[in-house]
Amino acid sequence: MTEPPAARYEIKMSYEPGLLPELRSWVDSHPAGFATIYPPRQVNSAYMDTPDLNSFNDHLSGIPLRRKLRFRWYGEDLTKARGIMEVKNKSERVGWKITQPVDCEFDLASQSWDEIMNGLRANTTGVIHEMLCVARPVVLTVYFREYYASGDGLVRLTIDTDLRSYDQLMTARPNIWFCQPLEQPVIVELKSDQENATSISDILSHFPIRSNRYSKYMTNLSRSLVR
């Protein structure tokens, strides 16, 4: 029997880009002893939704259990995409993922979205395949991520910068050339196992900067819809 995905306690916050030096200084000097655990890299996520944007509307309505479907890959070359499909589930501040690697590479510079979506469906199973059968691409987000962990290993922290967004709502082929004009927030996210959620509260008690909650998917798709 397959074990259920592990749930994590998550807090995501956004800050003005001018605060980035102060944020990095806070991480470096924090008593939790944060250290880099992985080299920084570019993260690319193509989000999918139903034709009626069910996932987006569930988020707007505050549905307790929310889902996001995305294809994620890494690296600065947007044209070559080899990665994983993910269903990101969220209930309040608790999140968990269902993931499947996709055993083929896509060329976003030459393939149509129909070709790419057919390839994703052919290489997935279960709930991910079912969601892909009624999904279409809606937005592509790109950002640069730094990875840290606390000294005791209980809390992971990431800093996302250089956020870009590419509207996919009205394009038969991937739009990787024309990004939307948007603000460039710095996104800080803290994650831990559910039983260590108090560790995140302790860490935030030493944090001198107030923040706003943030969702890359909701923010960037909202911008596409109001264009």
Side-chain angles (χ1 to χ4, degrees), residues 48-60 134 136-139 169 217-218 221 225:
M48 290 104 178
D49 207 335
T50 66
D52 293 329
L53 300 178
N54 288 348
S55 178
F56 177 80
N57 289 315
D58 284 352
H59 280 69
L60 282 183
V134 292
R136 59 166 177 158
V138 292
V139 68
L169 282 170
Y217 170 67
M218 294 297 292
L221 181 51
L225 292 171

Side-chain angles (χ1 to χ4, degrees), residues 93-142:
R93 293 193 181 275
V94 176
W96 64 99
K97 294 179 185 178
I98 302 170
T99 64
Q100 284 187 14
V102 177
D103 192 24
C104 60
E105 183 175 87
F106 302 102
D107 186 344
L108 274 67
S110 65
Q111 290 183 281
S112 69
W113 270 124
D114 280 345
E115 291 173 309
I116 293 169
M117 294 298 289
N118 286 335
L120 291 172
R121 294 175 187 124
N123 285 276
T124 53
T125 59
V127 65
I128 290 179
H129 176 77
E130 293 172 7
M131 293 180 71
L132 279 168
C133 285
V134 292
R136 59 166 177 158
V138 292
V139 68
L140 169 64
T141 65
V142 178

Side-chain angles (χ1 to χ4, degrees), residues 43 52-53 78 80 102 117 129 135 163 166 180-181 184 212:
V43 183
D52 293 329
L53 300 178
L78 281 182
K80 305 298 182 184
V102 177
M117 294 298 289
H129 176 77
L163 177 64
Y166 299 83
Q180 301 183 82
Q184 294 287 324
N212 299 310

Side-chain angles (χ1 to χ4, degrees), residues 71-89:
F71 176 54
R72 172 166 287 187
W73 70 100
Y74 301 92
E76 297 182 17
D77 184 359
L78 281 182
T79 65
K80 305 298 182 184
R82 178 185 289 273
I84 58 173
M85 283 300 308
E86 297 182 343
V87 177
K88 177 67 182 290
N89 302 275

